Amino acid sequence: MKIAAAQLTCAPADIPANVRQLVALSGQARSQGAELIVFPEFALTGYELEALAADPNLWTAPDDARLDDLRSTGITTVVNCAVPTDGPRPAIGTYVYGSDGELITTYLKQHLYENEQGIFTAGNRDGRFELNNLRFALATCFDNHFPDLIARGAADGCQVHLASSLYGTGNGIHERATVYPGIAKDSDMHVVLANHVGPSGPWTGCGRAALWAPGGALLTEADDRSTTVAVADLL
């Protein structure tokens, strides 16, 4: 099964513009034979926390009509965004849509980074789904720094770990290059990392979306400047 990890420069707080980018990247992935594509954290808005806190119109429900074109691309999509909850705060959520556009599952980020804690509600359940006889685990950015979350996925029979993330220049380059092959080595799972490239809120994404094999060997990696996808055949 071929899987794509995407990277892009998001239009700040502009869901329609970013959906157009995601649709284009989905088409690029499909043209390379990918059956699933993973997008970075806050792919629909960029990492625009002040805007997300102030404007609930930037929160996205699973059936939001603004995602219709993305749900119609014919590829399974893993898309992260601010999602409404039962309370006053949104969560940082990942929706997984099948190739038919139907919602497969929703995962809410459990480990909020320090500047996210006053804005979002943390999730309390792990994210799992199955596709083409493979079992997938979901994690969002800072989640990937917690070994117990990773270990639960491996213990639950997951073969592929999907990470929607934002790693910037500076220390983020080192973190990206060490955390994710480390997960692949320690958990014996494939690891798929989607990242931002270029400005996203206060950060500048370092790109290099990538896929690693169980054991930590790099399968493929994007550059540090392009809106593009990295595609690899996992199994």
Side-chain angles (χ1 to χ4, degrees):
M1 179 181 179
K2 286 187 176 181
I3 293 179
Q7 61 183 41
L8 73 153
T9 304
C10 291
D14 190 337
I15 291 175
N18 291 317
V19 166
R20 289 192 290 271
Q21 290 201 79
L22 303 192
V23 169
L25 288 166
S26 297
Q28 183 180 341
R30 280 196 73 189
S31 72
Q32 296 182 49
E35 298 175 69
L36 181 149
I37 183 168
V38 184
F39 294 110
E41 184 176 31
F42 290 124
L44 294 181
T45 59
Y47 198 86
E48 306 295 333
L49 298 195
E50 290 185 7
L52 289 166
D55 187 0
N57 287 323
L58 295 175
W59 309 352
T60 311
D63 59 352
D64 193 307
R66 293 173 292 184
L67 302 186
D68 284 352
D69 288 345
L70 182 60
R71 289 191 291 262
S72 302
T73 55
I75 185 173
T76 299
T77 56
V78 180
V79 58
N80 184 270
C81 52
V83 308
T85 67
D86 293 335
R89 294 180 179 178
I92 303 173
T94 296
Y95 297 136
V96 181
Y97 297 103
S99 59
D100 59 359
E102 294 298 315
L103 183 69
I104 295 175
T105 194
T106 300
Y107 168 69
L108 305 183
K109 184 177 183 179
Q110 297 180 69
H111 299 94
L112 299 176
Y113 195 59
E114 54 190 29
N115 57 334
E116 299 164 356
Q117 293 174 9
I119 299 172
F120 299 98
T121 296
N124 57 16
R125 292 187 297 175
D126 293 342
R128 306 278 187 268
F129 68 98
E130 295 185 3
L131 182 71
N132 292 359
N133 298 315
L134 290 174
R135 187 160 175 80
F136 294 82
L138 295 164
T140 306
C141 205
F142 196 41
D143 281 336
N144 295 286
H145 294 247
F146 290 83
D148 58 334
L149 183 148
I150 310 301
R152 290 196 301 270
D156 196 27
C158 294
Q159 299 139 291
V160 188
H161 180 83
L162 305 179
S164 297
S165 298
L166 168 55
Y167 284 87
T169 54
N171 190 56
I173 295 174
H174 173 73
E175 288 187 347
R176 188 216 68 90
T178 55
V179 169
Y180 293 91
I183 291 172
K185 179 181 178 181
D186 294 341
S187 69
D188 203 35
M189 290 188 286
H190 286 89
V191 174
V192 183
L193 169 67
N195 195 20
H196 289 254
V197 62
S200 190
W203 314 111
T204 299
C206 66
R208 300 202 180 278
L211 297 90
W212 290 267
L218 180 67
L219 294 175
T220 187
E221 181 180 70
D223 62 26
D224 62 356
R225 66 191 69 87
S226 304
T227 292
T228 190
V229 294
V231 179
D233 195 345
L234 299 195
L235 297 172

